[in-house]
Amino acid sequence: MSAVAAPDHISPDRIVEFDYLDDPRLAADIHDGLLALKTEAPGIFWTPANGGHWVVSDSDLISKILKTPALFSSKQLQIPPRDDAPRMIPESLDPPEHLLYRRLMMEYFERSRIAHLQARVDHWTDLVLSELKDKPGCEFVDAVASRLPIYVFMEFAGFPLDRAEDFRGLVEGMFRSTDPIKRQEYAMRIMGELQQVISAKMESPGEDILSKLIQADFQGRKLTFEELMSIGFLMFIAGLDTVTNAMTFGIRHMARDVDFRRKLTANPERVPEAVEELMRRYTFPTLPRQVTEDMEFGGVTMKAGDMVLCLIALVGIDEDLNPDALKVDLDRDKRTHFGFGTGGHTCLGRHLAKMELETLYRRWLEDFPDFEIDPTHAPATPRGGAVMGIPELWLRLNA
Ligand code: HEM
């Protein structure tokens, strides 16, 4: 993928081949592959892949990068960088502009403000799981993990629910296509749908977040149509595939770890801790930033414009931060992870995501206390990228 020669400021002992989109190390297991990379490469190194960029596996350095937007900007969130990358409010903004929008959006994502959605999340979860009740098995991503987040998102953002399956087709197309032209086509179609939804809400607002944002006062004015489109599209990008992958990693773990599953089934009040623990163990996004000025950082020389990729999956499985880090353990005294990011851009949707995950795990264990990986299907090759994931998970239910 568009490998380049190292520029002069890169020291040869810091060059390691790593293609975050499709690296052979990730082919069997993402987290094992990233741990192998951390062992063989310096905590910060440069890869010629994808236009050439820095890769950071050291937890301290990742934390500094994500908490220092003056030196590491969010304006460019694509690797390789794209000049025509759309502005994503608030994720691709830096302070002070970022905070203005984040403050406006924050209140609609607070736990108390989304509490009313619990009944709808229960409804959709029951509906999706009821379709599996008498089945001997399922492909979990298709049957559950790619469906639930869409229904919930449509409720949250006020999309017409009778179009749920159409939207699922578009979202699936965008996230699963490997062909960039096809992905772009799906993205444009989603934008078209979003345009219609926002226009309709401007005429007659409802109780959903987009309606609230349409009516909100922002710096003494209303948000423009372009700003609303940008926020709406980011929520699509940020709030669907992420939840799908978190559900898939979580359920895959439960299928493999009988002791953990039994403990959780016997103690459903501990599901919120399980969600946190599974997010720690299986953090899957990667976070890009762009260097704003020439500097020395973490023992290397960086130039303004360099791209940096933070492997946040490695923070949760860092032995120094979480002893016996690969073990999924409900009884940990403390957990450190950046599954929802850290610093100023920490995930706004985390309370909604946790509500979805907690509801799924609770209901799933009620319905399927014993289930296992279906050995007749070869495990799917994991997917790299900005949101790393497992594209397929075949399960035997009622084992
Ligand atoms: C398990 C599910 C999720 C995970 C793992 C996740 C992860 C993340 C991460 C790592 C970031 C930080 C990005 C950065 O620093 O550049 C982020 C930001 C964000 N997330 Fe999530 N997310 C999840 C679900 C959601 C949902 C359901 C929504 C909304 C419906 C959402 C909305 C956002 C928004 C708006 C931001 C940008 C915040 C800002 O820039 O200030 N996320 N998310």
Short mmCIF file of all heavy atoms in Angstrom, two decimals, residues 66 74 77 89-92 98 102 105 109 153 156 234-235 238-240 242-243 246 279 284-285 287-289 312 338-342 344-350 352-353 356-357, ligand 1:
data_model
loop_
_atom_site.label_atom_id
_atom_site.label_comp_id
_atom_site.label_asym_id
_atom_site.label_seq_id
_atom_site.Cartn_x
_atom_site.Cartn_y
_atom_site.Cartn_z
N LEU A 66 -2.11 12.04 22.70
CA LEU A 66 -3.55 12.28 22.67
C LEU A 66 -3.96 13.44 23.59
O LEU A 66 -5.03 14.01 23.43
CB LEU A 66 -4.32 11.01 23.03
CG LEU A 66 -4.11 9.84 22.04
CD1 LEU A 66 -4.86 8.59 22.51
CD2 LEU A 66 -4.55 10.22 20.62
N SER A 74 -5.75 16.95 15.29
CA SER A 74 -6.77 16.02 14.77
C SER A 74 -7.29 16.46 13.41
O SER A 74 -8.23 15.83 12.89
CB SER A 74 -7.94 15.93 15.76
OG SER A 74 -7.55 15.26 16.92
N LEU A 77 -7.26 13.16 9.88
CA LEU A 77 -7.47 11.88 10.57
C LEU A 77 -7.40 10.70 9.60
O LEU A 77 -7.94 9.63 9.88
CB LEU A 77 -8.83 11.88 11.29
CG LEU A 77 -8.93 12.78 12.54
CD1 LEU A 77 -10.36 12.83 13.06
CD2 LEU A 77 -8.00 12.32 13.65
N ILE A 89 -17.10 17.20 12.53
CA ILE A 89 -17.33 17.92 13.79
C ILE A 89 -17.84 16.93 14.83
O ILE A 89 -18.82 16.23 14.56
CB ILE A 89 -18.38 19.04 13.60
CG1 ILE A 89 -17.90 20.05 12.56
CG2 ILE A 89 -18.66 19.73 14.91
CD1 ILE A 89 -18.92 21.13 12.22
N PRO A 90 -17.21 16.84 16.03
CA PRO A 90 -16.07 17.61 16.52
C PRO A 90 -14.73 16.90 16.39
O PRO A 90 -13.72 17.44 16.81
CB PRO A 90 -16.42 17.77 18.00
CG PRO A 90 -17.07 16.47 18.36
CD PRO A 90 -17.80 16.01 17.12
N GLU A 91 -14.71 15.67 15.81
CA GLU A 91 -13.50 14.85 15.94
C GLU A 91 -12.30 15.43 15.22
O GLU A 91 -11.16 15.29 15.67
CB GLU A 91 -13.77 13.42 15.45
CG GLU A 91 -12.75 12.45 16.03
CD GLU A 91 -12.89 11.05 15.48
OE1 GLU A 91 -13.83 10.80 14.70
OE2 GLU A 91 -12.03 10.21 15.81
N SER A 92 -12.52 16.11 14.09
CA SER A 92 -11.34 16.60 13.35
C SER A 92 -11.05 18.07 13.65
O SER A 92 -10.42 18.75 12.85
CB SER A 92 -11.52 16.36 11.86
OG SER A 92 -12.54 17.19 11.36
N HIS A 98 -12.63 23.12 18.84
CA HIS A 98 -13.19 21.82 19.21
C HIS A 98 -14.10 21.91 20.42
O HIS A 98 -15.20 21.35 20.45
CB HIS A 98 -12.03 20.84 19.46
CG HIS A 98 -12.48 19.56 20.10
ND1 HIS A 98 -12.20 19.24 21.40
CD2 HIS A 98 -13.24 18.55 19.62
CE1 HIS A 98 -12.74 18.07 21.69
NE2 HIS A 98 -13.37 17.63 20.63
N ARG A 102 -17.89 20.64 21.14
CA ARG A 102 -18.02 19.52 22.08
C ARG A 102 -18.94 19.89 23.23
O ARG A 102 -19.77 19.09 23.65
CB ARG A 102 -16.63 19.11 22.58
CG ARG A 102 -16.70 17.82 23.40
CD ARG A 102 -15.36 17.22 23.68
NE ARG A 102 -15.49 16.25 24.74
CZ ARG A 102 -15.44 14.93 24.58
NH1 ARG A 102 -15.24 14.41 23.41
NH2 ARG A 102 -15.56 14.11 25.62
N MET A 105 -22.49 19.61 22.16
CA MET A 105 -22.98 18.25 21.93
C MET A 105 -23.05 17.42 23.21
O MET A 105 -23.91 16.55 23.36
CB MET A 105 -22.07 17.53 20.93
CG MET A 105 -22.13 18.11 19.54
SD MET A 105 -20.90 17.35 18.46
CE MET A 105 -21.50 15.67 18.34
N PHE A 109 -25.35 13.66 25.13
CA PHE A 109 -24.78 12.32 25.24
C PHE A 109 -24.66 11.86 26.68
O PHE A 109 -24.21 10.75 26.95
CB PHE A 109 -23.39 12.30 24.61
CG PHE A 109 -23.39 12.31 23.10
CD1 PHE A 109 -23.38 13.50 22.40
CD2 PHE A 109 -23.38 11.12 22.38
CE1 PHE A 109 -23.37 13.51 21.02
CE2 PHE A 109 -23.35 11.13 21.00
CZ PHE A 109 -23.35 12.32 20.32
N PHE A 153 -28.96 3.47 16.92
CA PHE A 153 -28.51 4.75 16.39
C PHE A 153 -29.68 5.49 15.73
O PHE A 153 -29.83 6.71 15.88
CB PHE A 153 -27.38 4.53 15.37
CG PHE A 153 -26.93 5.79 14.72
CD1 PHE A 153 -26.02 6.61 15.36
CD2 PHE A 153 -27.43 6.18 13.49
CE1 PHE A 153 -25.61 7.80 14.78
CE2 PHE A 153 -27.04 7.36 12.90
CZ PHE A 153 -26.12 8.18 13.55
N PHE A 156 -31.73 7.07 18.36
CA PHE A 156 -31.01 8.17 19.00
C PHE A 156 -31.01 9.41 18.10
O PHE A 156 -31.28 10.52 18.53
CB PHE A 156 -29.57 7.69 19.25
CG PHE A 156 -28.64 8.70 19.86
CD1 PHE A 156 -28.93 9.29 21.08
CD2 PHE A 156 -27.45 9.03 19.22
CE1 PHE A 156 -28.05 10.20 21.65
CE2 PHE A 156 -26.57 9.95 19.79
CZ PHE A 156 -26.87 10.53 21.00
N LEU A 234 -20.48 12.18 11.18
CA LEU A 234 -19.50 11.65 12.13
C LEU A 234 -20.16 10.64 13.07
O LEU A 234 -19.59 9.59 13.37
CB LEU A 234 -18.85 12.77 12.96
CG LEU A 234 -17.99 12.23 14.12
CD1 LEU A 234 -16.83 11.39 13.60
CD2 LEU A 234 -17.48 13.31 15.02
N MET A 235 -21.38 10.95 13.51
CA MET A 235 -22.03 10.00 14.43
C MET A 235 -22.22 8.64 13.75
O MET A 235 -22.09 7.60 14.37
CB MET A 235 -23.36 10.57 14.91
CG MET A 235 -23.15 11.75 15.86
SD MET A 235 -24.55 12.13 16.90
CE MET A 235 -25.85 12.34 15.73
N ALA A 238 -18.77 7.07 13.71
CA ALA A 238 -18.21 6.77 15.04
C ALA A 238 -19.05 5.77 15.82
O ALA A 238 -18.52 5.06 16.67
CB ALA A 238 -18.08 8.07 15.85
N GLY A 239 -20.35 5.71 15.53
CA GLY A 239 -21.23 5.01 16.46
C GLY A 239 -21.77 3.68 15.99
O GLY A 239 -22.59 3.08 16.69
N LEU A 240 -21.34 3.18 14.83
CA LEU A 240 -21.93 1.94 14.33
C LEU A 240 -20.93 0.78 14.32
O LEU A 240 -21.07 -0.18 15.07
CB LEU A 240 -22.51 2.17 12.93
CG LEU A 240 -23.71 3.13 12.93
CD1 LEU A 240 -24.16 3.44 11.52
CD2 LEU A 240 -24.86 2.53 13.71
N THR A 242 -18.02 0.61 15.46
CA THR A 242 -17.33 0.47 16.75
C THR A 242 -18.13 -0.46 17.67
O THR A 242 -17.58 -1.41 18.23
CB THR A 242 -17.19 1.84 17.43
OG1 THR A 242 -18.44 2.52 17.35
CG2 THR A 242 -16.10 2.67 16.82
N VAL A 243 -19.44 -0.20 17.77
CA VAL A 243 -20.26 -1.02 18.68
C VAL A 243 -20.32 -2.46 18.14
O VAL A 243 -20.23 -3.42 18.90
CB VAL A 243 -21.68 -0.42 18.84
CG1 VAL A 243 -22.46 -1.21 19.87
CG2 VAL A 243 -21.61 1.04 19.25
N ALA A 246 -17.11 -4.13 19.17
CA ALA A 246 -17.03 -4.38 20.61
C ALA A 246 -17.90 -5.59 20.97
O ALA A 246 -17.48 -6.46 21.74
CB ALA A 246 -17.49 -3.14 21.38
N MET A 279 -13.60 -4.25 27.07
CA MET A 279 -13.09 -3.11 26.30
C MET A 279 -11.59 -2.95 26.52
O MET A 279 -10.84 -2.61 25.62
CB MET A 279 -13.80 -1.80 26.71
CG MET A 279 -15.16 -1.58 26.11
SD MET A 279 -15.20 -1.53 24.31
CE MET A 279 -14.06 -0.21 23.99
N PHE A 284 -9.94 -1.85 20.13
CA PHE A 284 -9.68 -2.13 18.70
C PHE A 284 -9.52 -0.91 17.79
O PHE A 284 -9.07 -1.07 16.66
CB PHE A 284 -10.81 -3.03 18.15
CG PHE A 284 -12.17 -2.49 18.47
CD1 PHE A 284 -12.73 -1.50 17.70
CD2 PHE A 284 -12.86 -2.93 19.59
CE1 PHE A 284 -13.97 -0.96 18.01
CE2 PHE A 284 -14.11 -2.40 19.92
CZ PHE A 284 -14.66 -1.41 19.13
N PRO A 285 -9.86 0.36 18.19
CA PRO A 285 -9.57 1.46 17.25
C PRO A 285 -8.08 1.80 17.22
O PRO A 285 -7.34 1.46 18.14
CB PRO A 285 -10.37 2.65 17.81
CG PRO A 285 -11.30 2.09 18.83
CD PRO A 285 -10.61 0.85 19.37
N LEU A 287 -5.70 5.37 16.48
CA LEU A 287 -5.98 6.82 16.39
C LEU A 287 -4.85 7.58 15.70
O LEU A 287 -3.71 7.57 16.17
CB LEU A 287 -6.21 7.40 17.79
CG LEU A 287 -7.43 6.86 18.55
CD1 LEU A 287 -7.58 7.57 19.90
CD2 LEU A 287 -8.71 7.03 17.74
N PRO A 288 -5.15 8.25 14.60
CA PRO A 288 -4.14 9.06 13.91
C PRO A 288 -4.08 10.50 14.44
O PRO A 288 -5.09 11.02 14.93
CB PRO A 288 -4.63 9.08 12.46
CG PRO A 288 -6.05 8.64 12.49
CD PRO A 288 -6.41 8.23 13.88
N ARG A 289 -2.94 11.11 14.32
CA ARG A 289 -2.78 12.54 14.59
C ARG A 289 -1.74 13.08 13.60
O ARG A 289 -0.97 12.30 13.03
CB ARG A 289 -2.28 12.79 16.03
CG ARG A 289 -3.28 12.43 17.14
CD ARG A 289 -4.49 13.35 17.15
NE ARG A 289 -5.36 13.15 18.31
CZ ARG A 289 -6.46 12.40 18.31
NH1 ARG A 289 -6.82 11.74 17.22
NH2 ARG A 289 -7.20 12.30 19.39
N ILE A 312 -3.75 2.30 20.29
CA ILE A 312 -4.33 2.36 21.64
C ILE A 312 -4.74 0.98 22.16
O ILE A 312 -4.92 0.80 23.36
CB ILE A 312 -5.53 3.34 21.73
CG1 ILE A 312 -6.65 2.96 20.74
CG2 ILE A 312 -5.09 4.78 21.55
CD1 ILE A 312 -7.93 3.75 20.96
N PHE A 338 -7.51 2.78 26.91
CA PHE A 338 -7.97 3.93 26.12
C PHE A 338 -8.98 3.47 25.07
O PHE A 338 -9.02 3.97 23.96
CB PHE A 338 -6.77 4.60 25.40
CG PHE A 338 -5.80 5.31 26.32
CD1 PHE A 338 -4.59 5.79 25.82
CD2 PHE A 338 -6.08 5.53 27.67
CE1 PHE A 338 -3.68 6.46 26.64
CE2 PHE A 338 -5.17 6.20 28.50
CZ PHE A 338 -3.97 6.65 27.98
N GLY A 339 -9.79 2.48 25.42
CA GLY A 339 -10.75 1.93 24.48
C GLY A 339 -11.67 2.99 23.90
O GLY A 339 -12.09 2.92 22.75
N PHE A 340 -12.00 3.98 24.73
CA PHE A 340 -12.84 5.09 24.25
C PHE A 340 -11.99 6.35 24.05
O PHE A 340 -12.52 7.46 24.09
CB PHE A 340 -13.97 5.36 25.25
CG PHE A 340 -15.02 4.29 25.28
CD1 PHE A 340 -15.11 3.39 26.33
CD2 PHE A 340 -15.93 4.16 24.23
CE1 PHE A 340 -16.08 2.39 26.36
CE2 PHE A 340 -16.91 3.15 24.24
CZ PHE A 340 -16.98 2.27 25.30
N GLY A 341 -10.69 6.17 23.86
CA GLY A 341 -9.79 7.30 23.66
C GLY A 341 -9.42 7.93 25.00
O GLY A 341 -9.78 7.43 26.07
N THR A 342 -8.68 9.03 24.95
CA THR A 342 -8.34 9.80 26.15
C THR A 342 -8.08 11.23 25.72
O THR A 342 -7.90 11.51 24.54
CB THR A 342 -7.11 9.18 26.87
OG1 THR A 342 -6.96 9.82 28.15
CG2 THR A 342 -5.82 9.40 26.09
N GLY A 344 -8.98 15.30 25.16
CA GLY A 344 -10.11 16.14 24.77
C GLY A 344 -11.12 15.46 23.86
O GLY A 344 -12.29 15.84 23.84
N HIS A 345 -10.71 14.45 23.09
CA HIS A 345 -11.62 13.81 22.13
C HIS A 345 -12.23 12.51 22.66
O HIS A 345 -12.82 11.76 21.88
CB HIS A 345 -10.90 13.53 20.81
CG HIS A 345 -10.60 14.77 20.03
ND1 HIS A 345 -11.52 15.38 19.21
CD2 HIS A 345 -9.47 15.53 19.95
CE1 HIS A 345 -10.98 16.45 18.65
NE2 HIS A 345 -9.73 16.56 19.09
N THR A 346 -12.07 12.25 23.97
CA THR A 346 -12.65 11.01 24.53
C THR A 346 -14.08 10.83 24.04
O THR A 346 -14.87 11.79 24.00
CB THR A 346 -12.62 11.09 26.08
OG1 THR A 346 -11.27 11.22 26.48
CG2 THR A 346 -13.22 9.83 26.71
N CYS A 347 -14.41 9.59 23.69
CA CYS A 347 -15.68 9.27 23.02
C CYS A 347 -16.90 9.89 23.70
O CYS A 347 -17.15 9.66 24.88
CB CYS A 347 -15.83 7.76 22.99
SG CYS A 347 -17.38 7.24 22.22
N LEU A 348 -17.66 10.65 22.93
CA LEU A 348 -18.90 11.22 23.45
C LEU A 348 -19.99 10.15 23.58
O LEU A 348 -20.87 10.25 24.41
CB LEU A 348 -19.40 12.31 22.50
CG LEU A 348 -18.78 13.69 22.64
CD1 LEU A 348 -19.29 14.61 21.53
CD2 LEU A 348 -19.10 14.31 23.99
N GLY A 349 -19.93 9.13 22.73
CA GLY A 349 -21.00 8.13 22.69
C GLY A 349 -20.79 6.97 23.64
O GLY A 349 -21.50 5.97 23.56
N ARG A 350 -19.81 7.08 24.57
CA ARG A 350 -19.47 5.90 25.36
C ARG A 350 -20.61 5.42 26.26
O ARG A 350 -20.78 4.22 26.48
CB ARG A 350 -18.18 6.12 26.16
CG ARG A 350 -18.24 7.21 27.19
CD ARG A 350 -16.83 7.55 27.67
NE ARG A 350 -16.83 8.56 28.71
CZ ARG A 350 -17.03 9.87 28.51
NH1 ARG A 350 -17.26 10.32 27.28
NH2 ARG A 350 -17.01 10.72 29.51
N LEU A 352 -23.81 5.60 25.62
CA LEU A 352 -24.75 4.89 24.75
C LEU A 352 -24.18 3.52 24.36
O LEU A 352 -24.88 2.50 24.39
CB LEU A 352 -25.03 5.72 23.48
CG LEU A 352 -26.03 5.12 22.50
CD1 LEU A 352 -27.39 4.94 23.15
CD2 LEU A 352 -26.18 6.01 21.26
N ALA A 353 -22.89 3.51 24.01
CA ALA A 353 -22.24 2.24 23.64
C ALA A 353 -22.31 1.25 24.79
O ALA A 353 -22.62 0.07 24.60
CB ALA A 353 -20.79 2.50 23.24
N GLU A 356 -25.71 -0.27 25.17
CA GLU A 356 -25.96 -1.30 24.16
C GLU A 356 -25.25 -2.60 24.52
O GLU A 356 -25.82 -3.69 24.43
CB GLU A 356 -25.48 -0.83 22.78
CG GLU A 356 -26.25 0.36 22.25
CD GLU A 356 -25.73 0.82 20.89
OE1 GLU A 356 -25.78 0.04 19.94
OE2 GLU A 356 -25.28 1.98 20.79
N LEU A 357 -23.99 -2.47 24.95
CA LEU A 357 -23.20 -3.66 25.26
C LEU A 357 -23.73 -4.36 26.51
O LEU A 357 -23.89 -5.59 26.53
CB LEU A 357 -21.73 -3.27 25.46
CG LEU A 357 -21.00 -2.86 24.18
CD1 LEU A 357 -19.72 -2.10 24.48
CD2 LEU A 357 -20.68 -4.08 23.33
C1 HEM B 1 -17.78 0.53 21.65
C2 HEM B 1 -18.12 1.57 20.91
C3 HEM B 1 -17.26 2.79 20.70
C4 HEM B 1 -15.91 2.91 20.75
C5 HEM B 1 -14.87 1.83 21.03
C6 HEM B 1 -15.59 4.30 20.47
C7 HEM B 1 -14.32 4.82 20.45
C8 HEM B 1 -14.04 6.16 20.28
C9 HEM B 1 -12.71 6.73 20.33
C10 HEM B 1 -11.43 5.93 20.57
C11 HEM B 1 -12.81 8.07 20.13
C12 HEM B 1 -11.67 9.10 20.14
C13 HEM B 1 -11.29 9.52 18.74
C14 HEM B 1 -10.06 10.42 18.71
O1 HEM B 1 -9.43 10.67 19.73
O2 HEM B 1 -9.74 10.86 17.60
C15 HEM B 1 -14.22 8.36 19.93
C16 HEM B 1 -14.74 9.62 19.67
C17 HEM B 1 -16.08 9.86 19.41
N1 HEM B 1 -17.11 8.96 19.48
FE1 HEM B 1 -16.97 7.00 19.98
N2 HEM B 1 -16.76 4.98 20.24
C18 HEM B 1 -17.81 4.09 20.38
C19 HEM B 1 -19.16 4.38 20.24
C20 HEM B 1 -19.69 5.61 19.90
C21 HEM B 1 -21.10 5.90 19.70
C22 HEM B 1 -22.23 4.88 19.88
C23 HEM B 1 -21.19 7.22 19.33
C24 HEM B 1 -22.41 8.05 18.98
C25 HEM B 1 -23.56 7.65 18.57
C26 HEM B 1 -19.85 7.76 19.33
C27 HEM B 1 -19.54 9.06 19.05
C28 HEM B 1 -18.27 9.61 19.14
C29 HEM B 1 -17.99 11.01 18.86
C30 HEM B 1 -19.00 12.07 18.45
C31 HEM B 1 -16.60 11.17 19.03
C32 HEM B 1 -15.79 12.45 18.83
C33 HEM B 1 -15.57 13.17 20.15
C34 HEM B 1 -14.71 14.40 20.03
O3 HEM B 1 -14.01 14.55 19.03
O4 HEM B 1 -14.73 15.23 20.94
N3 HEM B 1 -18.97 6.76 19.68
N4 HEM B 1 -14.93 7.18 20.03
#
